[in-house]
Short mmCIF file of all heavy atoms in Angstrom, two decimals:
data_model
loop_
_atom_site.label_atom_id
_atom_site.label_comp_id
_atom_site.label_asym_id
_atom_site.label_seq_id
_atom_site.Cartn_x
_atom_site.Cartn_y
_atom_site.Cartn_z
N TYR I 1 0.84 -1.19 0.00
CA TYR I 1 0.00 0.00 0.00
C TYR I 1 0.88 1.25 0.00
O TYR I 1 1.68 1.46 0.92
CB TYR I 1 -0.93 0.04 1.21
CG TYR I 1 -1.81 1.27 1.21
CD1 TYR I 1 -2.92 1.33 0.39
CD2 TYR I 1 -1.48 2.39 1.97
CE1 TYR I 1 -3.72 2.47 0.34
CE2 TYR I 1 -2.27 3.53 1.93
CZ TYR I 1 -3.38 3.56 1.11
OH TYR I 1 -4.15 4.69 1.04
N HIS I 2 0.76 2.06 -1.04
CA HIS I 2 1.37 3.39 -1.15
C HIS I 2 2.87 3.37 -1.35
O HIS I 2 3.43 4.33 -1.87
CB HIS I 2 1.02 4.23 0.09
CG HIS I 2 1.42 5.67 -0.02
ND1 HIS I 2 0.83 6.53 -0.91
CD2 HIS I 2 2.37 6.40 0.64
CE1 HIS I 2 1.38 7.73 -0.81
NE2 HIS I 2 2.32 7.67 0.13
N GLN I 3 3.56 2.29 -0.97
CA GLN I 3 5.02 2.24 -1.05
C GLN I 3 5.46 0.78 -1.06
O GLN I 3 4.69 -0.11 -0.68
CB GLN I 3 5.64 2.96 0.15
CG GLN I 3 5.35 2.24 1.46
CD GLN I 3 5.90 2.96 2.68
OE1 GLN I 3 5.77 4.18 2.81
NE2 GLN I 3 6.51 2.21 3.60
N PRO I 4 6.71 0.51 -1.45
CA PRO I 4 7.23 -0.85 -1.31
C PRO I 4 7.50 -1.18 0.15
O PRO I 4 7.75 -0.29 0.98
CB PRO I 4 8.54 -0.81 -2.11
CG PRO I 4 8.44 0.40 -2.98
CD PRO I 4 7.62 1.39 -2.20
N PHE I 5 7.46 -2.46 0.47
CA PHE I 5 7.75 -2.94 1.82
C PHE I 5 8.71 -4.12 1.73
O PHE I 5 8.55 -5.01 0.89
CB PHE I 5 6.48 -3.42 2.52
CG PHE I 5 5.54 -2.33 2.94
CD1 PHE I 5 4.58 -1.84 2.05
CD2 PHE I 5 5.60 -1.79 4.22
CE1 PHE I 5 3.72 -0.84 2.43
CE2 PHE I 5 4.72 -0.79 4.61
CZ PHE I 5 3.78 -0.30 3.72
N ALA I 6 9.73 -4.13 2.62
CA ALA I 6 10.52 -5.34 2.83
C ALA I 6 9.75 -6.21 3.82
O ALA I 6 9.31 -5.73 4.87
CB ALA I 6 11.89 -4.99 3.39
N MET I 7 9.58 -7.47 3.47
CA MET I 7 8.72 -8.35 4.28
C MET I 7 9.43 -9.66 4.61
O MET I 7 9.91 -10.35 3.72
CB MET I 7 7.42 -8.65 3.54
CG MET I 7 6.45 -9.52 4.32
SD MET I 7 4.91 -9.81 3.39
CE MET I 7 5.49 -10.94 2.09
N ASP I 8 9.51 -9.97 5.90
CA ASP I 8 9.99 -11.27 6.35
C ASP I 8 8.84 -12.27 6.33
O ASP I 8 7.71 -11.94 6.70
CB ASP I 8 10.53 -11.20 7.79
CG ASP I 8 11.81 -10.39 7.91
OD1 ASP I 8 12.52 -10.25 6.91
OD2 ASP I 8 12.07 -9.90 9.02
N VAL I 9 9.14 -13.48 5.88
CA VAL I 9 8.19 -14.58 5.97
C VAL I 9 8.78 -15.60 6.94
O VAL I 9 9.89 -16.08 6.74
CB VAL I 9 7.94 -15.23 4.59
CG1 VAL I 9 6.94 -16.37 4.71
CG2 VAL I 9 7.47 -14.20 3.58
N LEU I 10 8.05 -15.88 8.01
CA LEU I 10 8.53 -16.79 9.04
C LEU I 10 7.57 -17.96 9.19
O LEU I 10 6.35 -17.78 9.14
CB LEU I 10 8.66 -16.07 10.39
CG LEU I 10 9.55 -14.82 10.43
CD1 LEU I 10 8.70 -13.56 10.34
CD2 LEU I 10 10.39 -14.80 11.69
N LEU I 11 8.12 -19.13 9.38
CA LEU I 11 7.33 -20.33 9.65
C LEU I 11 7.67 -20.82 11.04
O LEU I 11 8.83 -21.16 11.32
CB LEU I 11 7.61 -21.43 8.62
CG LEU I 11 6.87 -22.75 8.84
CD1 LEU I 11 5.36 -22.56 8.71
CD2 LEU I 11 7.36 -23.83 7.87
N ASN I 12 6.69 -20.80 11.93
CA ASN I 12 6.91 -21.21 13.32
C ASN I 12 8.10 -20.48 13.92
O ASN I 12 8.98 -21.08 14.56
CB ASN I 12 7.07 -22.73 13.41
CG ASN I 12 5.83 -23.46 12.95
OD1 ASN I 12 4.71 -22.99 13.10
ND2 ASN I 12 6.02 -24.63 12.34
N ASP I 13 8.13 -19.16 13.67
CA ASP I 13 9.14 -18.23 14.21
C ASP I 13 10.52 -18.40 13.60
O ASP I 13 11.48 -17.79 14.09
CB ASP I 13 9.23 -18.34 15.75
CG ASP I 13 7.95 -17.90 16.45
OD1 ASP I 13 7.31 -16.95 15.96
OD2 ASP I 13 7.61 -18.51 17.48
N ARG I 14 10.64 -19.15 12.55
CA ARG I 14 11.93 -19.28 11.85
C ARG I 14 11.84 -18.59 10.49
O ARG I 14 10.88 -18.80 9.74
CB ARG I 14 12.30 -20.75 11.66
CG ARG I 14 12.57 -21.47 12.97
CD ARG I 14 13.04 -22.90 12.73
NE ARG I 14 13.34 -23.58 13.97
CZ ARG I 14 13.80 -24.83 14.05
NH1 ARG I 14 13.99 -25.53 12.93
NH2 ARG I 14 14.05 -25.37 15.22
N LEU I 15 12.84 -17.77 10.18
CA LEU I 15 12.83 -17.01 8.94
C LEU I 15 12.94 -17.94 7.74
O LEU I 15 13.85 -18.76 7.65
CB LEU I 15 13.99 -16.00 8.93
CG LEU I 15 14.07 -15.08 7.72
CD1 LEU I 15 12.87 -14.14 7.67
CD2 LEU I 15 15.37 -14.29 7.75
N VAL I 16 11.99 -17.79 6.82
CA VAL I 16 12.01 -18.56 5.58
C VAL I 16 12.67 -17.74 4.48
O VAL I 16 13.55 -18.22 3.76
CB VAL I 16 10.58 -18.95 5.15
CG1 VAL I 16 10.58 -19.65 3.79
CG2 VAL I 16 9.93 -19.83 6.20
N THR I 17 12.27 -16.49 4.33
CA THR I 17 12.83 -15.62 3.30
C THR I 17 12.44 -14.18 3.61
O THR I 17 11.54 -13.92 4.42
CB THR I 17 12.31 -16.02 1.90
OG1 THR I 17 13.00 -15.27 0.90
CG2 THR I 17 10.81 -15.76 1.77
N THR I 18 13.12 -13.25 2.95
CA THR I 18 12.76 -11.84 2.99
C THR I 18 12.57 -11.38 1.55
O THR I 18 13.43 -11.62 0.70
CB THR I 18 13.84 -10.99 3.67
OG1 THR I 18 14.01 -11.44 5.02
CG2 THR I 18 13.44 -9.51 3.69
N VAL I 19 11.44 -10.75 1.28
CA VAL I 19 11.12 -10.31 -0.08
C VAL I 19 10.75 -8.83 -0.04
O VAL I 19 10.33 -8.30 0.99
CB VAL I 19 9.97 -11.13 -0.70
CG1 VAL I 19 10.34 -12.58 -0.83
CG2 VAL I 19 8.70 -10.98 0.13
N THR I 20 10.94 -8.18 -1.19
CA THR I 20 10.48 -6.81 -1.34
C THR I 20 9.16 -6.83 -2.10
O THR I 20 9.08 -7.35 -3.21
CB THR I 20 11.51 -5.96 -2.09
OG1 THR I 20 12.73 -5.92 -1.34
CG2 THR I 20 10.99 -4.54 -2.28
N VAL I 21 8.13 -6.30 -1.47
CA VAL I 21 6.80 -6.27 -2.06
C VAL I 21 6.53 -4.85 -2.56
O VAL I 21 6.50 -3.91 -1.77
CB VAL I 21 5.72 -6.68 -1.04
CG1 VAL I 21 4.34 -6.61 -1.67
CG2 VAL I 21 6.00 -8.09 -0.53
N GLY I 22 6.37 -4.71 -3.88
CA GLY I 22 6.17 -3.40 -4.47
C GLY I 22 4.70 -3.07 -4.64
O GLY I 22 3.81 -3.78 -4.18
N LEU I 23 4.46 -1.96 -5.32
CA LEU I 23 3.09 -1.55 -5.58
C LEU I 23 2.43 -2.44 -6.63
O LEU I 23 1.21 -2.63 -6.63
CB LEU I 23 3.05 -0.09 -6.05
CG LEU I 23 3.57 0.94 -5.03
CD1 LEU I 23 3.51 2.34 -5.63
CD2 LEU I 23 2.78 0.88 -3.74
N GLN I 24 3.23 -2.98 -7.53
CA GLN I 24 2.72 -3.92 -8.52
C GLN I 24 2.72 -5.33 -7.93
O GLN I 24 3.47 -5.62 -6.99
CB GLN I 24 3.59 -3.88 -9.79
CG GLN I 24 3.59 -2.54 -10.49
CD GLN I 24 2.19 -2.12 -10.91
OE1 GLN I 24 1.44 -2.91 -11.47
NE2 GLN I 24 1.84 -0.86 -10.65
N PRO I 25 1.87 -6.21 -8.43
CA PRO I 25 1.80 -7.56 -7.88
C PRO I 25 3.16 -8.26 -7.84
O PRO I 25 3.90 -8.27 -8.82
CB PRO I 25 0.84 -8.27 -8.85
CG PRO I 25 -0.03 -7.17 -9.37
CD PRO I 25 0.88 -5.98 -9.50
N THR I 26 3.48 -8.81 -6.67
CA THR I 26 4.74 -9.50 -6.43
C THR I 26 4.46 -10.96 -6.15
O THR I 26 3.73 -11.28 -5.20
CB THR I 26 5.47 -8.88 -5.23
OG1 THR I 26 5.70 -7.48 -5.45
CG2 THR I 26 6.80 -9.58 -4.98
N PRO I 27 5.00 -11.89 -6.95
CA PRO I 27 4.73 -13.31 -6.70
C PRO I 27 5.49 -13.83 -5.49
O PRO I 27 6.65 -13.45 -5.25
CB PRO I 27 5.20 -13.99 -7.99
CG PRO I 27 6.24 -13.07 -8.55
CD PRO I 27 5.83 -11.68 -8.17
#
């Protein structure tokens, strides 16, 4: 929303990956 975001994805409190989510659809 309104800007890109760096986003951590965690599974059961363990980091899986970090992705940058932009204004356009990010897979």
Side-chain angles (χ1 to χ4, degrees):
Y1 181 78
H2 189 67
Q3 66 183 44
F5 288 87
M7 181 179 71
D8 292 336
V9 180
L10 304 99
L11 178 64
N12 298 328
D13 295 324
R14 294 184 178 181
L15 183 66
V16 175
T17 187
T18 300
V19 298
T20 298
V21 178
L23 298 179
Q24 298 300 314
T26 302

